[in-house]
Amino acid sequence: MVETRKCPFCGGRMVPSKVETYGHSTYFWVPPWKSKTTGIFTKAVYGRVWLCLDCGALIPYVNRTKLSILREEFEVLRTEGKV
Ligand SMILES: [Zn+2]
């Protein structure tokens, strides 16, 4: 069973790529604050690309576990008035 999600552009069906990286190609984001999701060896958060089967859009998404950690970290910084 392949996981699907709704395309934010056309409302179509999106399916994820089998892998997060291919050759040297990756989609990444480096947190602009000190984050639990990154360390000495992993400086970035990687996204998995999804393809919309209706409009052809390719969109990278970060997994929910990492996303919830980053959201919490951001909320703390906001509470402290740092963002
Ligand atoms: Zn679409």
Side-chain angles (χ1 to χ4, degrees):
M1 186 75 185
V2 178
E3 195 187 350
T4 61
R5 66 162 78 208
K6 197 174 164 189
C7 175
F9 298 122
C10 76
R13 246 184 323 164
M14 301 188 84
V15 291
S17 168
K18 188 176 175 183
V19 293
E20 282 188 12
T21 61
Y22 188 75
H24 294 294
S25 299
T26 54
Y27 284 92
F28 68 89
W29 180 81
V30 177
W33 59 78
K34 192 170 165 37
S35 174
K36 277 181 262 175
T37 60
T38 55
I40 294 163
F41 300 108
T42 316
K43 297 200 184 297
V45 175
Y46 294 95
R48 172 163 294 191
V49 174
W50 290 62
L51 167 69
C52 176
L53 296 173
D54 293 280
C55 74
L58 286 177
I59 309 174
Y61 285 91
V62 169
N63 78 45
R64 289 178 196 286
T65 311
K66 282 189 180 167
L67 193 59
S68 67
I69 294 168
L70 290 165
R71 193 187 303 122
E72 275 173 34
E73 290 175 346
F74 182 80
E75 290 304 326
V76 169
L77 289 173
R78 200 162 67 170
T79 309
E80 293 170 351
K82 291 176 182 169
V83 284

